[in-house]
Amino acid sequence: MKKLTIFLLVLAMLLALPLFAGCKDPATEQPDNNENENPGQTETPENPEEPENPQEPEDPKDPDDTQKPEEPEVLKLKIGSYNIANGSLVSHNLKTIANDILELDLDIIGLQEVDYLSSRSANLDTLKVLSEMTGYKYYYFSKAISLTSYGITGDYGTGILSKYPITFEETTQLASGGYEQRVLGHVIIQVEDAEVHFFNAHLTYNTPGVRKGQMEAIEEAVYDYDYCLLTGDFNIEALSEFEIIESLTGVSNEDNPLHSYWKEETPPWPTECLDNIMYSDEFILLDCGIQNDRKHSDHYLIWAEFEVD
């Protein structure tokens, strides 16, 4: 019996040996050298391969190769002055006058001898019609006289026609010595960032003394303004009369007389240079001339192109 007990005990020990062999003690277990110790990092190979075509850093750009900033566009204005004789020489077909203006692509024009709702001009609002025909949206009429004293309905004076907005307008009467009343029209025109003071006049032809006083009044009116332009039929007898307006320079002068009056008279008027465009120092004269290839009035249209400083 004792031998049987010992036998069974030995047999049980032999059967239990595989179970103990399959367990490992964590304290004595060695780490696997092939495992990454920090799984959050990518292992860098010891000898990484070089790229086939490595790109070298670009050299700094040569200063001469850098793109230069664009220069601001130069502002230019093309101005006109035109005594239209109320349209009488074209049978009041204002399309003809409008085409004269459009052909020169003017920006602003001063007009003289303009009728407003006059019976001799088919009761037309001359400036409104010219505005519609040319597409120049902005205009201003300066009344000089009523035509009723001549047995005609309507008014008569000067006008300004502009592509650019008119933001201010006024008419000043000029001392006329008992002769036909003359006026000076004045508007402010917003031309991009510049406020242009634009004046327009038609002076007396009756006597140099009255005209001298009108010139002096104009000089007083324009004296304080920058960006100032003056157009008109001045009815001068000599270009030296413009010297009274000291603040402005005329495109028609002793060195460059522009013959704008063509109508033959007996006796002839002392000078044909009746019309002018005058400008302040902020304007640089580029070119000027007269549209003398047509006779749609007793005056030619006079024009000048400026760069605005």
Side-chain angles (χ1 to χ4, degrees), residues 38-66:
N38 189 348
Q41 295 181 352
T42 304
E43 186 174 348
T44 303
E46 293 182 2
N47 296 313
E49 294 183 2
E50 295 291 332
E52 294 182 2
N53 297 310
Q55 294 185 354
E56 296 181 1
E58 296 183 1
D59 293 334
K61 289 184 177 180
D62 189 320
D64 293 336
D65 294 336
T66 58

Side-chain angles (χ1 to χ4, degrees), residues 1-306:
M1 184 66 180
K2 185 176 181 179
K3 290 182 180 179
L4 179 59
T5 299
I6 294 170
F7 173 77
L8 292 173
L9 183 58
V10 171
L11 181 60
M13 291 175 64
L14 291 173
L15 292 172
L17 283 174
L19 295 174
F20 290 106
C23 297
K24 294 182 180 179
D25 184 353
T28 60
E29 186 176 356
Q30 297 295 321
D32 187 352
N33 291 332
N34 293 327
E35 293 182 0
N36 188 358
E37 292 183 2
N38 189 348
Q41 295 181 352
T42 304
E43 186 174 348
T44 303
E46 293 182 2
N47 296 313
E49 294 183 2
E50 295 291 332
E52 294 182 2
N53 297 310
Q55 294 185 354
E56 296 181 1
E58 296 183 1
D59 293 334
K61 289 184 177 180
D62 189 320
D64 293 336
D65 294 336
T66 58
Q67 186 174 2
K68 296 181 180 178
E70 293 184 3
E71 294 183 2
E73 187 175 348
V74 174
L75 176 59
K76 295 181 181 179
L77 280 180
K78 201 168 187 182
I79 306 301
S81 184
Y82 198 7
N83 182 326
I84 62 173
N86 71 73
S88 58
L89 270 70
V90 292
S91 302
H92 300 103
N93 178 6
L94 295 180
K95 185 64 176 176
T96 302
I97 303 298
N99 287 339
D100 290 343
I101 296 169
L102 289 171
E103 182 182 88
L104 291 171
D105 193 22
L106 303 172
D107 294 299
I108 311 168
I109 183 168
L111 300 168
Q112 302 84 41
E113 296 196 20
V114 176
D115 278 5
Y116 173 74
L117 304 181
S118 164
S119 54
R120 69 178 178 185
S121 302
N123 296 306
L124 297 173
D125 181 341
T126 301
L127 282 173
K128 181 180 179 182
V129 173
L130 288 175
S131 171
E132 293 169 349
M133 288 180 171
T134 58
Y136 292 29
K137 294 182 180 180
Y138 310 97
Y139 57 91
Y140 176 60
F141 174 70
S142 292
K143 176 183 173 180
I145 62 170
S146 171
L147 292 171
T148 54
S149 59
Y150 296 96
I152 303 169
T153 61
D155 298 324
Y156 168 82
T158 63
I160 296 168
L161 190 62
S162 172
K163 286 182 179 179
Y164 293 94
I166 294 174
T167 60
F168 170 85
E169 52 196 35
E170 68 176 352
T171 298
T172 302
Q173 289 193 337
L174 300 173
S176 300
Y179 300 104
E180 182 179 286
Q181 181 62 57
R182 303 294 175 157
V183 295
L184 176 66
H186 172 210
V187 299
I188 297 176
I189 301 176
Q190 191 66 42
V191 182
E192 299 187 8
D193 295 332
E195 282 190 341
V196 175
H197 289 265
F198 194 98
F199 293 83
N200 183 42
H202 183 195
L203 303 189
T204 186
Y205 66 88
N206 302 94
T207 169
V210 172
R211 192 164 54 248
K212 179 176 181 292
Q214 293 171 347
M215 290 274 198
E216 290 171 344
I218 291 174
E219 166 62 13
E220 185 176 351
V222 304
Y223 180 79
D224 289 330
Y225 293 121
D226 296 330
Y227 297 98
C228 186
L229 294 166
L230 168 66
T231 59
D233 171 6
F234 297 93
N235 278 317
I236 58 170
E237 297 182 20
L239 283 163
S240 59
E241 290 188 47
F242 287 120
E243 295 174 3
I244 297 172
I245 306 177
E246 297 177 350
S247 303
L248 306 178
T249 302
V251 301
S252 181
N253 51 57
E254 298 284 0
D255 295 327
N256 184 43
L258 296 178
H259 295 236
S260 59
Y261 186 69
W262 63 266
K263 191 174 181 180
E264 296 178 2
E265 294 182 341
T266 305
W269 193 252
T271 178
E272 296 174 346
C273 303
L274 303 186
D275 306 276
N276 209 343
I277 298 171
M278 306 189 76
Y279 58 98
S280 61
D281 292 341
E282 294 77 23
F283 295 95
I284 301 169
L285 180 62
L286 301 177
D287 198 5
C288 62
I290 51 174
Q291 191 185 49
N292 61 354
D293 59 341
R294 63 210 63 192
K295 294 182 178 179
H296 298 156
S297 171
D298 53 350
H299 293 245
Y300 296 126
L301 191 162
I302 180 174
W303 61 269
E305 185 173 19
F306 300 97

